[in-house]
Amino acid sequence: MKDKILEKASKMFMSLGFKSVTMDDIANEMGISKKTIYQHFSNKTELVKETASYLFDEITKGIDEIYRGNKNPIEELFNVKNYISDYFKAGNQSTIYQFQKYYPKIHDTLKKKHLEKLETCINKNINRGIKDGLFRNDIDISIISRIYFYGSSNLKDNDYFPIEKFNPEKVQLEFLEYHIRGIGTSKGIIKLEQLLKNQL
């Protein structure tokens, strides 16, 4: 039952927002009593915490699958961007904003966990790109991977990119192009421009 609650809660939080959805809403949607939910989660904050971890694990599985596909490093970055974009596309645009605003401690903890995971992936991606001649060999990988992480992490921050002014998908694409042009060789830039045409 706990896994079913997490699955349902994750869908509802993603589509309606972490603040907007109540324990009653989840219980009614599942056709169970609120008491049943409280048997597994002592309060909504605990449910949000475990749901956020559940979502993180689901997204991580998808990203790992992409990296196992042995695409070239620039294609990998585009595939990860498209995967994450599609994952959040069905959700309410205010979902991330609500999560950051109303559950900042949980958000910060998850962000650190995300950094550890993504930094490893980006390091491998850049190393392969250098080996394949797509990325410059004179960059500091540890610095670039963190710049990429913190930059990409703030793309969905409503304070920086309010959704009424900025199209989220365009922001992500512009950032990815900015990143690759900054570290790409001439060979890498050619590949980037080919992929950009496919995005249009």
Side-chain angles (χ1 to χ4, degrees), residues 22-84:
T22 67
M23 300 293 255
D24 283 316
D25 292 332
I26 298 169
N28 291 336
E29 187 71 18
M30 294 186 70
I32 61 176
S33 69
K34 191 163 64 172
K35 182 180 178 181
T36 301
I37 297 178
Y38 282 117
Q39 288 175 347
H40 299 281
F41 307 95
S42 59
N43 52 50
K44 184 181 175 182
T45 299
E46 184 183 339
L47 176 59
V48 168
K49 181 180 179 180
E50 293 206 36
T51 301
S53 292
Y54 171 85
L55 287 168
F56 174 82
D57 291 340
E58 288 297 302
I59 293 171
T60 296
K61 289 176 187 174
I63 292 174
D64 285 342
E65 189 66 30
I66 291 170
Y67 280 110
R68 282 196 293 268
N70 291 320
K71 298 283 186 181
N72 81 56
I74 296 178
E75 285 182 288
E76 277 184 353
L77 292 174
F78 270 81
N79 288 344
V80 169
K81 179 200 75 68
N82 291 337
Y83 169 75
I84 293 175

Coordinates of all heavy atoms in Angstrom, one line a residue, residues 22-84:
T22 N -3.8 18.0 -0.8 CA -3.9 17.7 0.6 C -3.9 16.1 0.8 O -4.1 15.4 -0.2 CB -5.2 18.3 1.2 OG1 -6.3 17.6 0.6 CG2 -5.2 19.8 0.9
M23 N -3.8 15.7 2.0 CA -3.9 14.3 2.3 C -5.3 13.8 2.0 O -5.5 12.7 1.5 CB -3.6 14.1 3.8 CG -2.2 14.5 4.2 SD -0.9 13.5 3.5 CE -0.4 12.5 4.9
D24 N -6.3 14.6 2.2 CA -7.7 14.3 1.9 C -7.8 14.0 0.4 O -8.5 13.1 -0.1 CB -8.6 15.4 2.3 CG -8.9 15.4 3.8 OD1 -9.1 14.3 4.3 OD2 -8.9 16.4 4.4
D25 N -7.2 14.9 -0.4 CA -7.2 14.7 -1.9 C -6.7 13.4 -2.3 O -7.3 12.7 -3.2 CB -6.4 15.9 -2.6 CG -7.0 17.2 -2.4 OD1 -8.3 17.3 -2.2 OD2 -6.3 18.2 -2.4
I26 N -5.5 13.0 -1.7 CA -4.9 11.7 -2.1 C -5.8 10.6 -1.7 O -6.0 9.6 -2.4 CB -3.5 11.6 -1.5 CG1 -2.6 12.7 -2.0 CG2 -2.9 10.3 -1.7 CD1 -1.3 12.9 -1.2
A27 N -6.3 10.6 -0.5 CA -7.2 9.6 0.0 C -8.4 9.4 -0.8 O -8.8 8.3 -1.2 CB -7.6 9.9 1.5
N28 N -9.1 10.5 -1.2 CA -10.3 10.5 -2.0 C -10.0 9.9 -3.4 O -10.7 9.2 -4.0 CB -10.9 11.9 -2.2 CG -11.5 12.4 -0.9 OD1 -11.8 11.6 0.0 ND2 -11.6 13.7 -0.7
E29 N -8.8 10.3 -4.0 CA -8.4 9.9 -5.3 C -8.2 8.4 -5.3 O -8.5 7.7 -6.3 CB -7.2 10.6 -5.8 CG -6.7 10.4 -7.2 CD -7.6 11.0 -8.2 OE1 -8.4 11.9 -7.9 OE2 -7.6 10.5 -9.4
M30 N -7.6 7.9 -4.2 CA -7.3 6.4 -4.1 C -8.5 5.6 -3.6 O -8.5 4.4 -3.7 CB -6.1 6.2 -3.2 CG -4.8 6.8 -3.7 SD -3.4 6.4 -2.7 CE -3.3 4.6 -3.0
G31 N -9.5 6.3 -3.1 CA -10.7 5.5 -2.5 C -10.3 4.8 -1.2 O -10.8 3.7 -0.9
I32 N -9.4 5.5 -0.4 CA -9.1 4.9 0.9 C -9.3 6.0 1.9 O -9.6 7.2 1.6 CB -7.6 4.5 0.9 CG1 -6.7 5.7 0.6 CG2 -7.4 3.3 -0.1 CD1 -5.2 5.3 0.7
S33 N -9.2 5.6 3.2 CA -9.3 6.6 4.3 C -8.0 7.3 4.5 O -6.9 6.8 4.2 CB -9.8 5.9 5.6 OG -8.7 5.1 6.1
K34 N -8.1 8.5 5.0 CA -6.9 9.3 5.3 C -6.1 8.6 6.4 O -4.9 8.7 6.4 CB -7.3 10.7 5.8 CG -6.1 11.6 5.9 CD -6.5 13.1 5.9 CE -7.4 13.4 7.1 NZ -7.6 14.9 7.3
K35 N -6.8 7.8 7.3 CA -6.2 7.1 8.3 C -5.2 6.1 7.7 O -4.1 5.8 8.3 CB -7.2 6.4 9.2 CG -6.6 5.6 10.3 CD -7.7 4.9 11.1 CE -7.2 4.1 12.3 NZ -8.2 3.4 13.1
T36 N -5.5 5.5 6.6 CA -4.6 4.5 5.9 C -3.3 5.2 5.5 O -2.3 4.6 5.7 CB -5.3 3.9 4.7 OG1 -6.6 3.3 5.1 CG2 -4.4 2.9 4.0
I37 N -3.4 6.4 5.0 CA -2.2 7.1 4.6 C -1.3 7.4 5.9 O -0.1 7.2 5.8 CB -2.6 8.4 3.9 CG1 -3.3 8.1 2.6 CG2 -1.3 9.2 3.6 CD1 -3.8 9.4 1.9
Y38 N -2.0 7.8 7.0 CA -1.2 8.1 8.2 C -0.6 6.9 8.8 O 0.3 7.0 9.7 CB -2.1 8.8 9.2 CG -2.3 10.3 8.8 CD1 -3.6 10.8 8.5 CD2 -1.2 11.2 8.8 CE1 -3.7 12.1 8.2 CE2 -1.4 12.5 8.5 CZ -2.6 13.0 8.1 OH -2.8 14.3 7.8
Q39 N -1.0 5.7 8.4 CA -0.4 4.5 8.9 C 1.0 4.3 8.3 O 1.9 3.7 8.9 CB -1.2 3.2 8.6 CG -2.5 3.1 9.4 CD -3.4 2.0 8.9 OE1 -3.2 1.4 7.8 NE2 -4.4 1.6 9.7
H40 N 1.2 5.0 7.2 CA 2.5 4.8 6.5 C 3.3 6.1 6.5 O 4.6 6.1 6.4 CB 2.3 4.5 5.0 CG 1.6 3.2 4.9 ND1 2.2 1.9 5.0 CD2 0.3 2.9 4.6 CE1 1.4 1.0 4.8 NE2 0.2 1.5 4.5
F41 N 2.6 7.3 6.7 CA 3.3 8.6 6.7 C 2.7 9.4 7.9 O 1.5 9.6 7.9 CB 3.1 9.3 5.4 CG 3.5 8.5 4.2 CD1 2.6 7.8 3.5 CD2 4.9 8.4 3.8 CE1 3.0 7.0 2.4 CE2 5.3 7.7 2.7 CZ 4.3 7.0 2.0
S42 N 3.6 9.8 8.8 CA 3.0 10.5 10.0 C 2.4 11.9 9.7 O 1.5 12.3 10.4 CB 4.2 10.7 11.0 OG 5.2 11.4 10.5
N43 N 2.9 12.5 8.6 CA 2.3 13.8 8.3 C 2.6 14.1 6.8 O 3.3 13.3 6.1 CB 2.9 14.9 9.1 CG 4.4 14.9 9.2 OD1 5.1 14.9 8.2 ND2 4.9 14.9 10.4
K44 N 2.1 15.2 6.3 CA 2.3 15.5 4.9 C 3.8 15.8 4.5 O 4.2 15.4 3.4 CB 1.4 16.7 4.5 CG 1.5 17.0 3.0 CD 0.7 18.2 2.5 CE 1.0 18.5 1.1 NZ 0.2 19.7 0.6
T45 N 4.5 16.4 5.4 CA 5.9 16.7 5.2 C 6.7 15.4 4.9 O 7.5 15.3 4.0 CB 6.5 17.5 6.4 OG1 5.8 18.7 6.5 CG2 8.0 17.8 6.1
E46 N 6.4 14.4 5.7 CA 7.1 13.1 5.5 C 6.7 12.5 4.2 O 7.5 11.9 3.5 CB 6.7 12.1 6.7 CG 7.4 10.8 6.6 CD 7.0 9.8 7.6 OE1 6.5 10.2 8.7 OE2 7.2 8.6 7.4
L47 N 5.4 12.6 3.8 CA 5.0 12.1 2.5 C 5.7 12.8 1.4 O 6.1 12.2 0.4 CB 3.4 12.3 2.4 CG 2.8 11.8 1.0 CD1 3.2 10.4 0.7 CD2 1.3 12.1 1.0
V48 N 5.8 14.2 1.5 CA 6.4 15.0 0.5 C 7.9 14.5 0.4 O 8.4 14.4 -0.7 CB 6.4 16.5 0.8 CG1 7.3 17.3 -0.1 CG2 4.9 17.0 0.6
K49 N 8.6 14.3 1.5 CA 10.0 13.9 1.5 C 10.2 12.6 0.8 O 11.1 12.5 0.0 CB 10.5 13.8 3.0 CG 11.9 13.4 3.1 CD 12.3 13.3 4.6 CE 13.8 12.9 4.7 NZ 14.2 12.9 6.2
E50 N 9.3 11.6 1.1 CA 9.5 10.3 0.5 C 9.0 10.3 -1.0 O 9.6 9.6 -1.8 CB 8.7 9.3 1.3 CG 9.3 9.0 2.7 CD 9.0 7.6 3.2 OE1 8.9 6.7 2.4 OE2 8.7 7.5 4.4
T51 N 8.1 11.1 -1.3 CA 7.6 11.3 -2.7 C 8.7 11.9 -3.5 O 9.0 11.5 -4.6 CB 6.3 12.1 -2.8 OG1 5.3 11.5 -2.0 CG2 5.9 12.2 -4.2
A52 N 9.4 12.9 -3.0 CA 10.5 13.6 -3.7 C 11.6 12.6 -4.0 O 12.2 12.6 -5.1 CB 11.0 14.8 -2.9
S53 N 11.9 11.7 -3.0 CA 12.9 10.7 -3.2 C 12.5 9.7 -4.2 O 13.3 9.2 -5.0 CB 13.2 10.0 -1.9 OG 13.9 10.9 -1.0
Y54 N 11.2 9.4 -4.2 CA 10.7 8.4 -5.2 C 10.8 9.0 -6.6 O 11.2 8.3 -7.5 CB 9.2 8.1 -4.8 CG 8.4 7.4 -5.9 CD1 8.5 6.0 -5.9 CD2 7.6 8.0 -6.8 CE1 7.7 5.3 -6.8 CE2 6.9 7.3 -7.8 CZ 7.0 5.9 -7.8 OH 6.2 5.2 -8.7
L55 N 10.4 10.3 -6.7 CA 10.5 10.9 -8.0 C 12.0 11.0 -8.5 O 12.3 10.8 -9.7 CB 9.9 12.3 -8.0 CG 8.4 12.4 -7.9 CD1 8.0 13.8 -7.6 CD2 7.8 12.0 -9.2
F56 N 12.9 11.3 -7.6 CA 14.3 11.4 -7.9 C 14.8 10.0 -8.4 O 15.5 10.0 -9.4 CB 15.1 11.8 -6.6 CG 16.6 11.8 -6.8 CD1 17.3 12.8 -7.4 CD2 17.3 10.7 -6.4 CE1 18.7 12.8 -7.6 CE2 18.7 10.6 -6.6 CZ 19.4 11.7 -7.2
D57 N 14.4 9.0 -7.7 CA 14.8 7.6 -8.2 C 14.3 7.3 -9.5 O 15.0 6.7 -10.4 CB 14.4 6.6 -7.1 CG 15.1 6.7 -5.8 OD1 16.2 7.3 -5.8 OD2 14.6 6.2 -4.8
E58 N 13.0 7.7 -9.8 CA 12.4 7.4 -11.1 C 13.2 8.1 -12.2 O 13.5 7.6 -13.3 CB 11.0 7.8 -11.1 CG 10.1 6.9 -10.3 CD 10.1 5.4 -10.8 OE1 9.7 5.3 -12.0 OE2 10.4 4.5 -10.1
I59 N 13.5 9.4 -12.0 CA 14.2 10.2 -13.0 C 15.6 9.7 -13.2 O 16.1 9.6 -14.3 CB 14.2 11.7 -12.5 CG1 12.8 12.3 -12.6 CG2 15.1 12.5 -13.4 CD1 12.7 13.7 -12.0
T60 N 16.2 9.3 -12.1 CA 17.6 8.8 -12.2 C 17.6 7.5 -13.0 O 18.6 7.3 -13.8 CB 18.1 8.5 -10.7 OG1 18.2 9.7 -10.0 CG2 19.5 7.8 -10.8
K61 N 16.6 6.6 -12.9 CA 16.6 5.4 -13.7 C 16.6 5.7 -15.2 O 17.2 5.1 -16.0 CB 15.4 4.6 -13.3 CG 15.4 3.9 -11.9 CD 14.1 3.2 -11.6 CE 14.1 2.6 -10.2 NZ 12.8 2.1 -9.9
G62 N 15.7 6.7 -15.5 CA 15.6 7.1 -16.9 C 16.9 7.7 -17.4 O 17.3 7.4 -18.6
I63 N 17.6 8.5 -16.6 CA 18.9 9.1 -17.0 C 19.9 8.0 -17.2 O 20.7 8.1 -18.2 CB 19.3 10.2 -16.0 CG1 18.4 11.4 -16.1 CG2 20.8 10.7 -16.3 CD1 18.6 12.5 -15.1
D64 N 20.0 7.1 -16.3 CA 21.0 6.0 -16.3 C 20.8 5.2 -17.6 O 21.7 4.8 -18.3 CB 20.8 5.1 -15.1 CG 21.4 5.7 -13.9 OD1 22.2 6.6 -14.0 OD2 21.1 5.2 -12.8
E65 N 19.5 5.0 -18.0 CA 19.2 4.3 -19.2 C 19.7 5.0 -20.4 O 20.3 4.4 -21.4 CB 17.7 4.1 -19.3 CG 17.2 3.2 -20.5 CD 17.7 1.7 -20.2 OE1 17.8 1.3 -19.1 OE2 17.9 1.0 -21.2
I66 N 19.6 6.3 -20.4 CA 20.2 7.1 -21.5 C 21.7 7.0 -21.6 O 22.2 6.8 -22.7 CB 19.8 8.6 -21.4 CG1 18.3 8.8 -21.6 CG2 20.6 9.5 -22.4 CD1 17.7 10.2 -21.2
Y67 N 22.4 7.1 -20.5 CA 23.8 7.0 -20.5 C 24.3 5.6 -20.9 O 25.4 5.4 -21.3 CB 24.4 7.4 -19.1 CG 24.5 8.9 -19.0 CD1 23.6 9.6 -18.1 CD2 25.4 9.6 -19.7 CE1 23.7 10.9 -18.0 CE2 25.4 11.0 -19.6 CZ 24.6 11.7 -18.7 OH 24.6 13.0 -18.6
R68 N 23.5 4.6 -20.7 CA 23.8 3.2 -21.1 C 23.7 3.0 -22.6 O 24.0 2.0 -23.1 CB 23.0 2.2 -20.3 CG 23.5 1.9 -18.9 CD 22.9 0.6 -18.3 NE 21.5 0.8 -18.2 CZ 20.9 1.2 -17.0 NH1 21.6 1.5 -16.0 NH2 19.6 1.3 -16.9
G69 N 23.1 4.0 -23.3 CA 22.8 3.9 -24.7 C 23.9 4.1 -25.6 O 23.8 3.9 -26.8
N70 N 25.1 4.5 -25.0 CA 26.3 4.7 -25.8 C 26.2 5.7 -27.0 O 26.7 5.4 -28.1 CB 26.9 3.3 -26.3 CG 27.4 2.5 -25.2 OD1 28.0 3.0 -24.3 ND2 27.1 1.2 -25.2
K71 N 25.4 6.7 -26.8 CA 25.3 7.8 -27.8 C 26.6 8.6 -27.6 O 27.3 8.5 -26.7 CB 24.1 8.6 -27.5 CG 22.7 7.9 -27.7 CD 22.4 7.7 -29.1 CE 21.0 7.1 -29.2 NZ 20.6 6.9 -30.6
N72 N 26.8 9.5 -28.6 CA 28.0 10.4 -28.4 C 27.6 11.4 -27.4 O 26.4 11.6 -27.1 CB 28.4 11.0 -29.8 CG 27.6 12.2 -30.2 OD1 27.4 13.2 -29.4 ND2 27.0 12.2 -31.4
P73 N 28.6 12.0 -26.7 CA 28.3 12.8 -25.5 C 27.3 14.0 -25.7 O 26.6 14.3 -24.8 CB 29.7 13.3 -25.1 CG 30.6 12.2 -25.6 CD 30.0 11.8 -26.9
I74 N 27.4 14.6 -26.9 CA 26.5 15.7 -27.1 C 25.0 15.2 -27.3 O 24.1 15.8 -26.8 CB 26.9 16.5 -28.4 CG1 28.3 17.1 -28.1 CG2 25.9 17.6 -28.7 CD1 28.9 17.9 -29.2
E75 N 24.9 14.1 -28.0 CA 23.5 13.5 -28.1 C 23.0 13.1 -26.7 O 21.8 13.2 -26.5 CB 23.6 12.3 -29.0 CG 23.7 12.6 -30.5 CD 23.7 11.3 -31.3 OE1 24.7 10.6 -31.3 OE2 22.7 11.0 -32.0
E76 N 23.9 12.6 -25.9 CA 23.5 12.2 -24.5 C 22.9 13.4 -23.8 O 21.8 13.3 -23.2 CB 24.7 11.7 -23.7 CG 25.0 10.3 -23.9 CD 26.2 9.9 -23.0 OE1 26.8 10.7 -22.3 OE2 26.4 8.7 -23.0
L77 N 23.5 14.6 -23.9 CA 23.1 15.8 -23.2 C 21.7 16.2 -23.7 O 20.8 16.6 -23.0 CB 24.1 16.9 -23.4 CG 25.4 16.7 -22.6 CD1 26.4 17.8 -23.0 CD2 25.2 16.7 -21.1
F78 N 21.5 16.1 -25.0 CA 20.2 16.4 -25.6 C 19.1 15.4 -25.2 O 18.0 15.9 -24.9 CB 20.3 16.5 -27.2 CG 20.7 17.8 -27.7 CD1 22.0 18.2 -27.7 CD2 19.7 18.7 -28.2 CE1 22.4 19.4 -28.3 CE2 20.1 19.9 -28.7 CZ 21.4 20.3 -28.7
N79 N 19.5 14.2 -25.2 CA 18.5 13.2 -24.8 C 18.1 13.3 -23.3 O 16.9 13.1 -22.9 CB 19.1 11.7 -25.0 CG 19.2 11.4 -26.5 OD1 18.5 12.0 -27.3 ND2 19.9 10.4 -26.8
V80 N 19.1 13.6 -22.4 CA 18.7 13.9 -21.0 C 17.8 15.1 -20.9 O 16.9 15.1 -20.1 CB 20.0 14.1 -20.2 CG1 19.7 14.6 -18.8 CG2 20.8 12.7 -20.1
K81 N 18.2 16.2 -21.6 CA 17.3 17.4 -21.6 C 15.9 17.1 -22.0 O 14.9 17.5 -21.4 CB 17.9 18.5 -22.5 CG 17.1 19.7 -22.5 CD 17.4 20.6 -23.7 CE 16.8 20.1 -25.0 NZ 15.3 20.1 -25.0
N82 N 15.8 16.3 -23.1 CA 14.5 16.0 -23.6 C 13.7 15.1 -22.7 O 12.5 15.3 -22.5 CB 14.6 15.3 -25.0 CG 15.1 16.3 -26.1 OD1 14.9 17.5 -26.0 ND2 15.6 15.7 -27.1
Y83 N 14.4 14.2 -22.1 CA 13.8 13.3 -21.1 C 13.2 14.0 -19.9 O 12.1 13.8 -19.5 CB 14.8 12.2 -20.6 CG 14.3 11.4 -19.5 CD1 13.3 10.4 -19.6 CD2 14.8 11.6 -18.2 CE1 12.8 9.6 -18.5 CE2 14.3 10.9 -17.1 CZ 13.4 9.9 -17.3 OH 12.9 9.2 -16.2
I84 N 14.0 14.9 -19.3 CA 13.6 15.7 -18.2 C 12.5 16.6 -18.5 O 11.5 16.8 -17.8 CB 14.8 16.4 -17.5 CG1 15.8 15.4 -17.0 CG2 14.3 17.4 -16.5 CD1 17.1 16.0 -16.4

